[in-house]
Amino acid sequence: MNHNLIPLNDELSVNGGIPSDLLAVQVRLWELLAKQTARYTMGDSSSIPIELANELLSSICFTLGVDLSNPDTLKSLLNDDLEELFKIGLSSIKQKIDIGKQLWEEAWLSIPAIENISLRDTLNGIGTFFKRYDYRYFAHTIPCDIDYQLCNPVPETLLGVEYVNEYLRRLIIEHDFLQRFDPQLCIQILECYCQDYKGLLINLFEPIATNAIGLSLIGCSVFKLDVLEAERKQVVEILKPLSKGKCIELLCRAAERTCLNLGIRHEKAKQYMISLSSELYPRIQAAMSSGSMGKIFISVS
Amino acid sequence: MNQQFSIIPVQMQMANTLKELEACNDISEQFGLCLTTDQMIRLAKTRFRALENAGRVEFGEGILKKLIYRFCDSPYLMQNNYEDSLSELQEIFYYFKNESMEKLSDDELIDAMKNVFDGKAQGSIEYLSGTSLENLCRIIRGGAIEEEIEIDEEDYES
């Protein structure tokens, strides 16, 4: 996201700003940008490339927590002491970095005993993020590679440490879920799902969680993970006559039951499972009509 | 991209530039150099054009003030070429600033430019603008310009 002044201008106009207010906001942000530039160049340079100025401005807006969709933005930018707000923003980012480091350790500690190169590379990469992250000047950036795909991706609207922390929170939910199953059983399912599950950029959680939801839907133990052909037919028998809304409702309930059976109590983790189950519907519907349910609910036999 | 900062209160910066240039006259007058109000306005406008051409954003005092302070004692600056020289020096400054990848401070770069301008270039802005950044950096480190020897083919044959 680029917090340059023209979009800022547009957004604020939409939110009822008057031209003189916009000018005042621009001047205040410009002054803060000038101070940040002087700090960045340590007073050695009176000018900087436009690209760099835009980056510094984006970082300022991120640090100030400027939410362009919020009508109160204009009020805050006009009336509050921006330098003070900026300092508060920086200390808040610092706290988020500390939280992120804890989350990163937790993600390593909860990593499932399933080999996957991109998962480990990504966690290593996030380790370097905390070394490279220059929150004073480039707080909105993510200076590391995040290759491992989550089942439920982090919204692109999040930036900097906020993105990384949310990524880690979601990853921990996935790890915690996988930890509740026999790793050998998970590996068997993953081998059937994708032969090169170790090397390819696949998500480890999704096929396992999908099978667990399927088993929960037909009232089987989620711990066996393996969905037999007969059990897939049962899933079809249950879902086929139902409307879309009813199907999604049943899948969501199955996800809730899965959490209950696995002893997952954390609300965010439950919501994560429910979000997967509601996204399953279009895939299940397509598979039911093409008779390829075996690609959704994996069988090891 | 270049337009993103165009809505910044340019008038505000323009007024500041004019004030700064007025103050510079007090110093440069000692060396027989003075800018009229029209010249100041033109130079201030050139500042924004030069920045736009170089793809840069400038805060606070522009570079003109520093250029005037450093170059006004040059024996090669005359009243009749003062405005044009400042305008060109400003453009060259931003060009070198980009070339240096932000590794040189304003003062280091201006010192090196002045060194070449008063030395090898003997007041030729064309020579200065043709000087490579490597040579400017060598000057900053206290060395001399490395001459590029051009061998005339006829001389070589004879």
Side-chain angles (χ1 to χ4, degrees):
Chain A
M1 193 169 28
N2 200 351
H3 283 100
N4 62 56
L5 292 180
I6 280 183
L8 183 66
N9 200 10
D10 292 344
E11 290 283 344
L12 294 175
S13 304
V14 168
N15 291 329
I18 54 167
S20 61
D21 287 346
L22 297 181
L23 188 68
V25 167
Q26 281 173 31
V27 171
R28 299 192 82 200
L29 279 176
W30 178 256
E31 283 166 359
L32 190 53
L33 179 59
K35 279 183 191 166
Q36 267 299 85
T37 304
R39 284 182 202 122
Y40 181 76
T41 63
M42 294 197 283
D44 272 352
S45 186
S46 63
S47 66
I48 52 169
I50 285 178
E51 294 79 6
L52 177 58
N54 267 327
E55 291 295 312
L56 292 174
L57 183 61
S58 293
S59 180
I60 287 171
C61 289
F62 175 78
T63 308
L64 289 174
V66 173
D67 177 7
L68 298 178
S69 59
N70 184 353
D72 290 336
T73 295
L74 181 65
K75 250 188 236 168
S76 166
L77 290 175
L78 268 174
N79 303 323
D80 297 338
D81 179 352
L82 288 194
E83 190 72 35
E84 196 52 41
L85 279 184
F86 189 70
K87 273 184 200 163
I88 294 167
L90 281 180
S91 68
S92 154
I93 291 174
K94 230 174 155 184
Q95 282 171 8
K96 284 175 188 167
I97 294 170
D98 291 338
I99 292 169
K101 284 178 182 168
Q102 286 169 15
L103 289 169
W104 181 65
E105 277 177 24
E106 205 182 320
W108 267 121
L109 290 173
S110 62
I111 198 165
I114 305 167
E115 211 177 314
N116 184 276
I117 295 167
S118 69
L119 172 59
R120 277 158 205 277
D121 282 355
T122 297
L123 275 177
N124 279 325
I126 291 175
T128 61
F129 165 86
F130 294 111
K131 288 177 192 156
R132 289 184 196 159
Y133 187 48
D134 187 353
Y135 71 96
R136 285 185 177 85
Y137 301 107
F138 304 104
H140 63 297
T141 61
I142 305 167
C144 71
D145 291 326
I146 297 182
D147 293 331
Y148 182 73
Q149 305 296 308
L150 291 173
C151 174
N152 189 2
V154 179
E156 294 288 324
T157 47
L158 289 183
L159 301 168
V161 70
E162 287 178 1
Y163 180 96
V164 171
N165 285 3
E166 186 54 30
Y167 179 91
L168 288 168
R169 280 190 196 101
R170 290 174 189 225
L171 188 65
I172 291 166
I173 289 174
E174 293 190 0
H175 284 180
D176 177 57
F177 179 87
L178 291 171
Q179 288 272 18
R180 292 166 195 263
F181 293 94
D182 173 7
Q184 285 312 310
L185 208 51
C186 292
I187 289 170
Q188 283 178 351
I189 298 284
L190 288 166
E191 275 172 345
C192 296
Y193 175 73
C194 171
Q195 275 197 327
D196 189 15
Y197 72 91
K198 294 177 189 175
L200 291 179
L201 294 173
I202 63 149
N203 176 260
L204 301 177
F205 164 86
E206 198 232 304
I208 309 294
T210 304
N211 268 20
I213 290 170
L215 289 168
S216 198
L217 184 75
I218 58 169
C220 284
S221 164
V222 291
F223 291 101
K224 81 179 190 83
L225 275 185
D226 187 12
V227 182
L228 304 172
E229 180 57 36
E231 289 163 338
R232 280 201 289 266
K233 279 182 185 160
Q234 264 183 278
V235 172
V236 174
E237 278 167 20
I238 293 172
L239 297 180
K240 203 155 195 183
L242 301 178
S243 65
K244 180 185 171 183
K246 196 74 193 159
C247 277
I248 292 175
E249 193 188 320
L250 276 190
L251 286 166
C252 290
R253 267 198 234 149
E256 282 173 339
R257 265 201 310 280
T258 306
C259 291
L260 193 72
N261 291 335
L262 291 171
I264 296 171
R265 288 189 189 88
H266 202 276
E267 198 49 44
K268 255 196 128 181
K270 282 185 197 169
Q271 287 307 317
Y272 201 80
M273 282 292 283
I274 289 169
S275 119
L276 166 66
S277 61
S278 54
E279 277 167 22
L280 269 179
Y281 175 73
R283 288 175 57 207
I284 290 176
Q285 196 195 29
M288 280 195 295
S289 48
S290 65
S292 56
M293 286 287 272
K295 286 182 181 163
I296 295 176
F297 298 107
I298 313 290
S299 175
V300 289
S301 46
Chain B
M1 201 68 160
N2 285 347
Q3 285 184 337
Q4 283 164 8
F5 286 88
S6 61
I7 55 161
I8 302 299
V10 171
Q11 285 141 333
M12 196 177 78
Q13 279 200 305
M14 187 87 168
N16 287 342
T17 308
L18 291 176
K19 262 188 217 164
E20 282 162 18
L21 291 178
E22 256 176 47
C24 287
N25 270 348
D26 296 340
I27 305 285
S28 63
E29 266 170 355
Q30 297 169 34
F31 303 94
L33 301 168
C34 187
L35 290 169
T36 64
T37 310
D38 284 348
Q39 284 177 324
M40 285 181 212
I41 292 170
R42 279 200 296 273
L43 273 174
K45 281 181 184 167
T46 323
R47 175 193 172 195
F48 294 108
R49 208 172 41 241
L51 280 167
E52 204 181 317
N53 289 342
R56 300 183 70 84
V57 183
E58 195 163 53
F59 301 92
E61 293 178 346
I63 207 64
L64 272 172
K65 182 180 167 186
K66 280 189 176 178
L67 284 171
I68 291 172
Y69 278 21
R70 192 71 186 90
F71 278 78
C72 66
D73 66 347
S74 169
Y76 300 103
L77 278 190
M78 307 290 169
Q79 180 59 38
N80 62 355
N81 67 5
Y82 188 39
E83 181 195 349
D84 290 343
S85 299
L86 284 177
S87 173
E88 286 177 72
L89 284 170
Q90 184 175 234
E91 288 226 16
I92 295 170
F93 172 83
Y94 292 130
Y95 167 76
F96 279 132
K97 196 74 187 168
N98 278 346
E99 284 291 292
S100 72
M101 311 285 287
E102 313 304 307
K103 300 279 187 251
L104 296 180
S105 73
D106 289 353
D107 293 338
E108 281 173 330
L109 183 53
I110 290 174
D111 280 351
M113 282 169 62
K114 174 75 177 355
N115 222 320
V116 176
F117 187 76
D118 281 356
K120 278 277 173 192
Q122 293 184 51
S124 162
I125 289 185
E126 207 181 336
Y127 185 96
L128 176 63
S129 65
T131 308
S132 67
L133 184 73
E134 286 82 359
N135 272 331
L136 273 180
C137 292
R138 202 165 285 127
I139 289 159
I140 291 165
R141 290 193 297 267
I145 289 184
E146 231 174 47
E147 289 290 351
E148 287 177 18
I149 303 163
E150 284 180 27
I151 300 170
D152 195 309
E153 265 182 51
E154 283 175 19
D155 290 347
Y156 185 73
E157 279 164 15
S158 65

